[in-house]
Amino acid sequence: MHTFRLRVIAKIKPVMTPKDQEDEDEYVSTDTVDKVKQLLKETLKKDFNNSNRVLKERMDHNLVNIFGSDAHFHLSVDAIRMRSSTPERKSFFVNIMVKDKKHISITAEY
């Protein structure tokens, strides 16, 4: 079993001041980011043959439960090998573009 360290990059909604409320639409809620991170964590625990294609298919299928429809997001999963001598050691970059051009990026480092 592989161990991954997850790092999330997202524009998370801060405590709102009256000035911030004007820009509220460009933020992703903390709850949504936590759900996506948990989904990725659970997906990585299951056997996915260390394949970014399989990881993408499983994430794509389950993200509908978070975002409501596949029309509300676009998922991209890229892999990078650590060394050619150890092809089973991959890190993954998960990028989700949510409607209104909001982004959630997660790196899963081997």
Side-chain angles (χ1 to χ4, degrees):
M1 182 169 160
H2 303 299
T3 303
F4 292 93
R5 177 178 42 203
L6 301 180
R7 292 185 185 185
V8 178
I9 302 167
K11 209 166 186 186
I12 299 173
K13 190 178 199 177
V15 175
M16 301 302 269
T17 66
K19 183 180 179 287
D20 291 331
Q21 289 179 356
E22 297 169 9
D23 300 327
E24 183 175 4
D25 291 340
E26 64 184 80
Y27 296 106
V28 178
S29 75
T30 305
D31 186 47
T32 301
V33 172
D34 289 341
K35 287 178 183 177
V36 171
K37 183 178 176 182
Q38 186 61 35
L39 173 62
L40 178 58
K41 191 182 293 188
E42 291 170 6
T43 305
L44 288 169
K45 285 182 183 178
K46 297 175 185 169
D47 182 25
F48 62 99
N49 298 323
N50 212 19
S51 165
N52 59 318
R53 183 186 56 78
V54 174
L55 187 61
K56 181 184 185 320
E57 287 173 0
R58 291 184 184 170
M59 289 285 296
D60 219 5
H61 177 72
N62 290 307
L63 282 173
V64 174
N65 298 333
I66 296 171
F67 295 112
S69 166
D70 60 353
H72 292 259
F73 68 92
H74 175 73
L75 173 67
S76 170
V77 178
D78 297 311
I80 186 167
R81 287 196 180 129
M82 302 311 276
R83 293 188 189 126
S84 60
S85 61
T86 55
E88 72 281 355
R89 295 184 68 181
K90 290 183 184 177
S91 290
F92 297 94
F93 300 99
V94 178
N95 296 302
I96 304 167
M97 187 172 70
V98 187
K99 68 179 181 176
D100 301 327
K101 297 185 180 182
K102 301 174 191 174
H103 291 271
I104 301 172
S105 297
I106 304 175
T107 58
E109 296 178 38
Y110 184 89

